[in-house]
């Protein structure tokens, strides 16, 4: 239904644009429509991927930093739903680079989601240190967006990484602190959801008394249980931990009820393994070795199936890790090419500047030489004119002297 509504909305937007609406307005409506589809938890396919790519290409040239960030984020969400984690992570990184965190209108709430989705991929790929870093970024952005709940949820998700890093105490401390802060801000239902996870960790550690208050909160306020105390699907493993609690407190009937309930309702390998393992421990306490052996054997079979399933997952994870590494290598190669091209442009620019400076220098020297020669020519012409004037004066003086000498000669003859 969501997909049909999305398609209809796209048709209406296209018609509206043809009737005179601006292109930016049309593309912004398409972006909002795709974002609404994502917010509705619809599975995005290649069709939406192509739409997201078109939007990212458009807004890279025409949109605001917030438009660009959202477009690349949605493109990443499409790749994530298509199980192409490396491409999803690449798109999230592109979205992060588009955000203008110095701008007063930066959409920090959206940026928090980008970091949060990146952290999820890092967790799925077993990159727990990277997950911790990005959960911190996501939490910081959520605080800047005044989204207290999102900030605390990102903070609580760090416990997953610490748990995988075998830092159990750190995971417990973070869960407890996050739950405390959530309750202080009246997010009791969300806090109760995390309380169940914390109770499991405490029971695993043997701190049953500390676990009990969190179990009560989880069952009363999380919203995961119906009126008959049946937990919602996919969360049946809680029966196992609660059964362990009863088992340790010698409430064997309650423990058996919960272990059998998990076997009955949780049909996946993990629940079947946990339920049968719980019953095996129960029958050991009841001194029924045959029944215990039966359920230990069943638990072993389920555990073996879990191992095969996990091995398959690890192979897929290793492939994804290889794809991710390959993606990084390609990105680094492209970066090196870009840097090499930039260096060439820089060298050519420097050479061009030097050539221009040399030409200008030569032109300046020629101008100076021309001025010098012109000055010398003017000076020489002036001297020539002076000499000519002097020669004329000498000729006149010579003529006068010759006349005087002639007159003297005449006078001398007469005498």
């Amino acid at each position: 239904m969501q997909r049909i509504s999305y398609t209809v909305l796209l048709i209406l937007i296209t018609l509206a644009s043809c009737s005179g609406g601006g292109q930016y307005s049309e593309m912004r409506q398409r972006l909002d429509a795709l974002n609404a589809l994502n917010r509705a938890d619809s599975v995005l396919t290649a069709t939406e991927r192509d739409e997201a790519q078109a939007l990212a290409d458009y807004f890279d040239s025409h949109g605001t930093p917030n438009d660009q960030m959202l477009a690349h984020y949605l493109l990443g969400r499409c790749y994530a739903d298509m199980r192409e984690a490396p491409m999803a992570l690449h798109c999230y990184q592109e979205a992060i680079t588009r955000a203008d965190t110095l701008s007063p209108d930066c959409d920090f709430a959206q940026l928090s989601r980008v970091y949060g989705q990146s952290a999820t991929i890092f967790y799925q790929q077993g990159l727990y240190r990277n997950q911790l870093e990005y959960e911190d970024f996501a939490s910081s952005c959520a605080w800047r967006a005044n989204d207290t709940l999102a900030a605390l949820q990102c903070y609580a998700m760090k416990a997953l990484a610490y748990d995988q890093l075998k830092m159990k105490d750190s995971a417990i401390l973070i869960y407890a602190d996050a739950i405390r802060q959530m309750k202080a801000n009246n997010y009791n239902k969300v806090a109760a959801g995390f309380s169940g996870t914390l109770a499991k960790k405490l029971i695993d550690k043997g701190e049953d008394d500390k676990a009990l208050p969190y179990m009560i909160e989880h069952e009363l306020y999380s919203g995961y249980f119906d009126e008959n105390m049946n937990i919602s699907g996919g969360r049946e493993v809680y029966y196992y931990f609660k059964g362990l609690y009863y088992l340790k407190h010698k409430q064997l009937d309650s423990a058996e009820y919960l272990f059998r309930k998990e076997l009955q309702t949780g049909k996946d390998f993990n629940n079947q393994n946990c339920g049968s393992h719980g019953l095996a421990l129960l029958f050991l306490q009841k001194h029924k070795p045959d029944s215990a052996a039966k359920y230990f054997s069943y638990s072993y079979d389920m555990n073996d199936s879990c191992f095969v399933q996990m091995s398959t997952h690890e192979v897929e994870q290793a492939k994804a890790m290889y794809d991710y590494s390959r993606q990084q290598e390609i990105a680094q190669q492209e970066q090196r090419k870009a840097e090499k091209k930039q260096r060439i442009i820089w060298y050519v620019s420097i050479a061009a500047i030097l050539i221009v400076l040399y030409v200008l220098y030569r032109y300046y020297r020629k101008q100076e030489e021309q001025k010098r020669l012109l000055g010398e020519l003017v000076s020489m012409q002036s001297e020539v004119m002076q000499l000519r004037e002097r020669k004329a004066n000498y000729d006149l003086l010579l003529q006068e002297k010759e006349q005087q000498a002639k007159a003297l000669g005449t006078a001398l003859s007469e005498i």
Side-chain angles (χ1 to χ4, degrees):
M1 185 63 185
Q2 287 284 349
R3 190 170 301 282
I4 294 173
S5 301
Y6 173 65
T7 305
V8 172
L9 182 58
L10 280 183
I11 294 172
L12 292 175
I13 291 171
T14 304
L15 292 174
S17 67
C18 293
S19 63
Q23 186 181 19
Y24 176 82
S25 177
E26 173 206 347
M27 298 301 280
R28 181 65 228 195
Q29 288 178 327
R30 287 168 61 179
L31 186 66
D32 290 338
L34 184 59
N35 192 30
L37 190 66
N38 174 59
R39 290 289 189 89
D41 287 332
S42 299
V43 177
L44 305 178
T45 64
T47 301
E48 287 76 37
R49 188 269 317 277
D50 294 341
E51 169 72 355
Q53 184 65 67
L55 292 169
D57 292 341
Y58 173 80
F59 283 111
D60 277 350
S61 302
H62 302 86
T64 66
N66 287 338
D67 294 335
Q68 295 170 13
M69 174 173 58
L70 178 58
H72 283 280
Y73 166 73
L74 291 174
L75 182 58
R77 289 291 300 118
C78 292
Y79 279 117
D81 282 355
M82 295 168 66
R83 300 185 183 280
E84 296 185 32
M87 284 303 299
L89 193 59
H90 172 72
C91 293
Y92 293 151
Q93 295 298 324
E94 286 292 319
I96 290 168
T97 61
R98 296 303 194 277
D100 183 3
T101 56
L102 298 179
S103 173
D105 64 346
C106 178
D107 190 351
F108 281 103
Q110 181 60 55
L111 186 55
S112 174
R113 286 189 282 273
V114 178
Y115 277 119
Q117 292 291 337
S118 300
T120 298
I121 290 181
F122 285 131
Y123 175 76
Q124 293 169 345
Q125 302 303 320
L127 302 170
Y128 305 118
R129 297 291 181 184
N130 298 80
Q131 181 203 350
L132 289 171
E133 180 183 9
Y134 273 66
E135 295 291 6
D136 281 336
F137 288 147
S139 184
S140 176
C141 289
W143 282 121
R144 295 187 67 173
N146 296 316
D147 191 341
T148 303
L149 179 57
L152 292 175
Q153 286 177 315
C154 293
Y155 171 56
M157 294 301 288
K158 292 175 65 175
L160 292 174
Y162 282 119
D163 192 45
Q164 293 297 326
L165 292 168
K166 310 302 180 185
M167 301 169 68
K168 306 294 184 182
D169 290 340
S170 297
I172 288 173
L173 287 173
I174 286 180
Y175 277 133
D177 188 38
I179 290 168
R180 179 187 60 78
Q181 292 190 60
M182 287 175 186
K183 285 164 35 175
N185 286 277
N186 296 318
Y187 299 119
N188 297 315
K189 184 174 181 179
V190 180
F194 282 104
S195 292
T197 305
L198 178 54
K200 297 173 191 175
K201 302 301 177 188
L202 290 169
I203 292 171
D204 245 351
K205 194 179 177 184
E207 299 181 352
D208 304 342
D209 294 336
K210 291 183 180 179
L212 182 58
Y214 292 109
M215 290 169 61
I216 294 172
E217 286 180 9
H218 185 62
E219 294 175 9
L220 292 179
Y221 306 117
S222 66
Y224 297 153
F225 297 82
D226 61 19
E227 62 276 7
N228 297 317
M229 294 307 295
N230 297 313
I231 200 168
S232 55
R235 303 179 183 275
E236 295 88 356
V237 73
Y238 177 76
Y239 295 141
Y240 172 69
F241 289 96
K242 189 175 181 181
L244 289 180
Y245 174 84
Y246 283 132
L247 190 63
K248 291 179 181 179
H249 288 78
K250 307 301 181 182
Q251 300 180 42
L252 303 186
D253 290 342
S254 297
E256 183 174 357
Y257 169 77
L258 288 171
F259 293 143
R260 292 191 181 280
K261 189 172 185 178
E262 182 175 14
L263 281 176
Q264 182 181 359
T265 58
K267 299 301 183 182
D268 59 88
F269 292 128
N270 186 49
N271 279 298
Q272 292 294 302
N273 175 40
C274 289
S276 56
H277 183 260
L279 287 172
L281 294 175
L282 172 77
F283 287 119
L284 278 180
Q285 283 204 25
K286 286 188 171 183
H287 304 289
K288 295 182 177 180
D290 291 342
S291 297
K294 169 187 171 183
Y295 284 104
F296 269 129
S297 176
Y298 185 62
S299 174
Y300 176 82
D301 291 340
M302 290 301 102
N303 197 44
D304 190 48
S305 298
C306 283
F307 178 76
V308 171
Q309 190 178 45
M310 288 175 64
S311 297
T312 303
H313 172 71
E314 286 172 358
V315 170
E316 294 174 350
Q317 187 181 72
K319 180 180 181 300
M321 285 283 288
Y322 170 78
D323 291 341
Y324 173 68
S325 300
R326 179 60 181 160
Q327 188 72 21
Q328 284 189 318
E329 182 183 348
I330 292 172
Q332 290 171 356
Q333 288 175 353
E334 292 299 321
Q335 184 178 1
R336 285 194 292 269
K337 287 181 182 178
E339 290 173 351
K340 183 178 179 181
K341 183 178 179 181
Q342 190 66 31
R343 284 196 299 270
I344 292 173
I345 293 173
W346 188 80
Y347 292 146
V348 170
S349 300
I350 294 297
I353 292 171
L354 291 174
I355 291 171
V356 170
L357 290 175
Y358 177 74
V359 170
L360 290 175
Y361 171 74
R362 293 286 298 172
Y363 175 77
Y364 173 77
R365 288 294 302 272
K366 285 183 178 180
Q367 289 291 98
E368 290 297 312
E369 184 69 13
Q370 185 179 11
K371 288 179 181 179
R372 187 184 66 79
L373 293 174
L374 182 61
E376 290 181 1
L377 177 61
V378 170
S379 177
M380 185 66 70
Q381 288 176 341
S382 177
E383 290 180 4
V384 170
M385 290 179 66
Q386 289 176 3
L387 289 173
R388 284 177 179 175
E389 288 177 358
R390 289 175 184 175
K391 182 177 181 300
N393 291 334
Y394 289 152
D395 289 344
L396 181 59
L397 181 60
L398 179 60
Q399 188 177 14
E400 289 178 354
K401 295 299 181 181
E402 285 177 347
Q403 289 177 355
Q404 290 177 0
K406 186 177 181 182
L408 290 172
T410 301
L412 181 61
S413 298
E414 291 178 351
I415 292 175

